[in-house]
Amino acid sequence: MYKLIDGKEVSNHVKTKVREEVDALKEKGIEPALAVIIVGNDPASRVYVNNKKKACEFTGMRSVEYAMPEETTEEELLSVIDKLNADDSINGILCQLPVPKHISEKAVIERISAKKDVDVFSAENVGKMWQGDYDMASCTPMGVIELLDYYGIDVCGKNCVIIGRSNIVGKPMASLLLERSATVTICHSRTKNLSEITSKADLIVAAVGRAKFVTADMVKEGAIVVDVGINRNDDGKLCGDVDFENVKDKCEFITPVPGGCGPMTIAVLMKNTLLACKKQNGII
Ligand code: NAD
């Protein structure tokens, strides 16, 4: 019988721990604050930004939103980032991606001060993560690690296969698993014999972006399956990359979608903002 990994429970656990620390900091007169910039009217981005605001409310952090119109120039956006970088009352800054096409995503990411880069997207912070010399780790991959830790799943020596090589999921996921002494394979769109590789995996992390991509024949009996994907099925319902109904019975542990990795990303964002605040105030 498989065990379901409950991302809502774990994210509440992480956010509650953050709230306790935020309360203690407030007693010392320090109020952690996250600035969120959103450019344009992308409905999905709006939902993500609202969820981040709600998480700030839950954890007791101050949230500041900068909603900028679609026509905002890169220069205007960068000058808002400069202002927030210089503002000592702001500990974390994130710009909701994607930004409109006329703005360079790279320029935006690199303009945010590394110490306030709570998404951990900058080259400096990604480099530190790969060196194992970091406080803040990439939100979605660290969310996966939090899930594994909560359920007592030790990846040391395990054969872990990540499907997807993006900068926000696949690559940093590899870094964090490697740091925990897993044997890591990253598969991607050009990988040959994918199912041959995944069917030997003790742990599969799926981050492809295609519904029902991971099928039962790709999964070993007793494997742990973590589904990062967020897709819509033919009925318009939210689903992951894993054919959950057919895969679950082969697993020791499996994450559902929704309610698996999704809630963890924001929980880690809260944790990172707290860490950034503590670091900026000389507490760690
Ligand atoms: P992406 O499009 O940047 O990357 C997808 C990856 O899948 C690529 O590296 C590609 O090589 C790989 N891929 C595509 N086709 C493949 C194939 N046939 N075989 C093997 N690999 C293949 O996407 P991303 O940003 O990494 O996101 C992946 C999924 O995770 C999406 O569904 C996204 O919505 C979701 N996501 C969820 C969260 C969360 O908070 N839970 C956060 C980020 C992304």
Side-chain angles (χ1 to χ4, degrees), residues 73-108:
T73 64
E74 185 174 305
E75 209 184 355
E76 285 167 336
L77 176 55
L78 296 181
S79 80
V80 167
I81 294 173
D82 288 344
K83 202 176 89 182
L84 294 168
N85 279 339
D87 183 344
D88 287 341
S89 75
I90 296 291
N91 307 110
I93 304 169
L94 73 84
C95 181
Q96 186 64 47
L97 299 178
V99 283
K101 286 196 172 53
H102 61 275
I103 298 175
S104 155
E105 196 173 288
K106 189 166 184 275
V108 171

Side-chain angles (χ1 to χ4, degrees), residues 32-36 52 56 62-64 90 92-94 118 269-270 273:
L34 174 67
V36 180
K52 287 168 189 176
C56 283
R62 184 164 71 93
S63 73
V64 189
I90 296 291
I93 304 169
L94 73 84
V118 284
L269 177 72
M270 295 297 105
T273 308

Side-chain angles (χ1 to χ4, degrees), residues 161-165 185-191 194 197-198:
V161 173
I162 301 161
I163 319 175
R165 58 173 159 183
T185 306
I186 306 181
C187 298
H188 48 79
S189 52
R190 302 293 179 90
T191 297
L194 178 67
I197 299 168
T198 58

Side-chain angles (χ1 to χ4, degrees), residues 140 163-166 169 188-189 207-210 213 228-231 265:
T140 302
I163 319 175
R165 58 173 159 183
S166 71
V169 189
H188 48 79
S189 52
V208 182
R210 274 165 63 178
F213 183 84
V228 176
I230 302 176
N231 313 295
T265 300

Side-chain angles (χ1 to χ4, degrees), residues 94 117-121 129 136-146 168 172 176 261 264-270 272:
L94 73 84
D117 166 35
V118 284
D119 263 337
V120 191
F121 285 164
M129 227 180 83
M136 303 184 290
S138 300
C139 297
T140 302
M142 192 59 207
V144 172
I145 297 290
E146 294 273 0
I168 63 164
L176 294 180
C261 296
M264 293 308 298
T265 300
I266 294 184
V268 175
L269 177 72
M270 295 297 105
N272 282 350

